[in-house]
Amino acid sequence: MAERVAEVGGVELCHETFGDAGGRPLLLVMGLGAPMIWWDEEFCEALATQGFYVIRFDNRDAGRSSRMRGRANLAQAYLLHRAPYSLADMAADAAGLLDVLDVPAAHVVGASMGGMIAQTLAIRYPERVLSLTSIMSSTGGRLVGRPSGKAMSMLVSTPPRTRADYVEMLVRTFRLIGSPGYPFDEARMRDRAERTFDRGVHPGGTLRQLAAIMAERDRGPRLRRVRVPALVVHGARDPLVHVSGGRATARAIPGTDLDIVPGMGHDLPRAVWPRVVRGITRIADRAETPISRD
């Protein structure tokens, strides 16, 4: 299906689907500053072959979705919990997109900030979430999931101005935060960077998203009320969101499956895709299996 734009509460969300519309709906939520194309087409198609109707979209302030207003102040976000918008607002975007697509409820998968949005969706709209998969994410607790010093400095570095500089920045970034246990595919990363830049890069928007993350309070106590089958996937060598964030998420949600992937950092290497697709499918199957009353 070609990309389309949905109007959701005054926000335009660019989105795309894969698979049969009659299949099991699955919503993919991407992370900080990242457009929906970071869910690779082949990854989406692999999910579609498992019977999912896959929905990916650009978050507000990313890709071809709406640019928002307001200047982000990261100090105020961290100390005063103030930001131009919140993760709850972004979760409302996701719920609204499901409304536009006439999807009452979906299996929800989020990566990094997308995992935080997915968790918030499960907390605030429990009737819309059939199962939850949180990948390389955290609970918002300030003692877990902390980035390394190098990774944090990368988040607040001066944004590049040209396409060539953006490509080089993204390659350097993923050499730093990517998966040391797997080969680094520079050609694939350069292609992703070029496509990302061409879709639209919004440094101010990325800062607003980062402020939303930093302003968030610990979701741990609220996650304890989540009652859907859940999976947490995290890289054992993630320098951007420490593996303690994944462990904390798994502890918070009752009955969660936890998959710590050796050698994986803050990305999804192609070699890990089959493992992740199997996990998502297993959790979705569990959600759809009637509970025996015997």
Side-chain angles (χ1 to χ4, degrees):
M1 177 179 175
E3 292 182 12
R4 296 184 178 180
V5 174
E7 177 87 18
V8 177
V11 177
E12 292 187 341
L13 297 177
C14 185
H15 62 283
E16 186 177 21
T17 63
F18 297 79
D20 187 340
R24 301 187 286 179
L26 186 147
L27 182 69
L28 297 174
V29 192
M30 191 29 80
L32 179 68
M36 64 182 177
I37 62 169
W38 287 28
W39 295 110
D40 293 76
E41 284 83 358
E42 298 93 333
F43 181 79
C44 296
E45 289 163 357
L47 287 166
T49 64
Q50 298 301 311
F52 291 110
Y53 176 53
V54 180
I55 305 158
R56 66 177 186 175
F57 71 104
D58 292 333
N59 285 305
R60 58 169 67 191
D61 269 333
R64 293 175 178 158
S65 289
S66 290
R67 297 192 194 189
M68 309 307 290
R69 295 182 178 180
R71 184 181 295 274
N73 183 311
L74 299 185
Q76 284 188 359
Y78 188 80
L79 297 172
L80 303 177
H81 303 282
R82 293 179 186 169
Y85 52 78
S86 67
L87 294 182
D89 293 325
M90 300 182 81
D93 292 345
L97 178 59
L98 294 180
D99 289 336
V100 170
L101 296 175
D102 197 24
V103 175
H107 302 283
V108 180
V109 179
S112 194
M113 180 188 72
M116 302 172 193
I117 296 168
Q119 294 168 26
T120 305
L121 190 64
I123 291 166
R124 297 178 67 90
Y125 306 93
E127 73 283 359
R128 310 304 300 272
V129 178
L130 300 172
S131 71
L132 171 65
T133 300
S134 180
I135 303 172
M136 52 191 172
S137 193
S138 189
T139 62
R142 292 185 171 178
L143 298 180
V144 297
R146 296 171 66 90
S148 69
K150 285 185 178 180
M152 188 62 197
S153 65
M154 173 209 68
L155 285 179
V156 297
S157 61
T158 302
R161 294 183 177 275
T162 69
R163 187 177 192 261
D165 288 345
Y166 179 81
V167 170
E168 294 305 322
M169 181 275 294
L170 206 66
V171 169
R172 288 195 307 272
T173 295
F174 277 89
R175 283 193 182 278
L176 171 65
I177 68 173
S179 299
Y182 297 87
F184 181 69
D185 189 341
E186 183 170 335
R188 174 171 166 257
M189 185 54 60
R190 288 184 177 276
D191 177 70
R192 170 184 280 186
E194 290 167 355
R195 294 171 65 205
T196 299
F197 189 89
D198 293 343
R199 286 181 64 82
V201 175
H202 317 306
T206 301
L207 278 177
R208 285 188 287 271
Q209 291 182 353
L210 182 57
I213 294 170
M214 295 178 70
E216 181 76 354
R217 299 180 188 274
D218 187 1
R219 289 178 298 280
R222 290 169 287 161
L223 287 170
R224 294 188 180 94
R225 299 195 296 270
V226 172
R227 290 294 181 269
V228 296
L231 168 67
V232 169
V233 179
H234 214 107
R237 300 183 65 181
D238 188 336
L240 187 60
V241 181
H242 189 268
V243 68
S244 58
R247 295 188 187 280
T249 306
R251 286 195 302 269
I253 304 173
T256 296
D257 286 2
L258 174 63
D259 185 13
I260 304 297
V261 183
M264 180 175 136
H266 200 76
D267 64 351
L268 277 178
R270 186 181 294 270
V272 174
W273 291 359
R275 178 173 179 156
V276 175
V277 169
R278 285 194 302 270
I280 293 169
T281 305
R282 183 182 70 251
I283 292 300
D285 290 345
R286 186 181 303 170
E288 295 166 0
T289 301
I291 299 174
S292 174
R293 301 296 182 184
D294 297 337

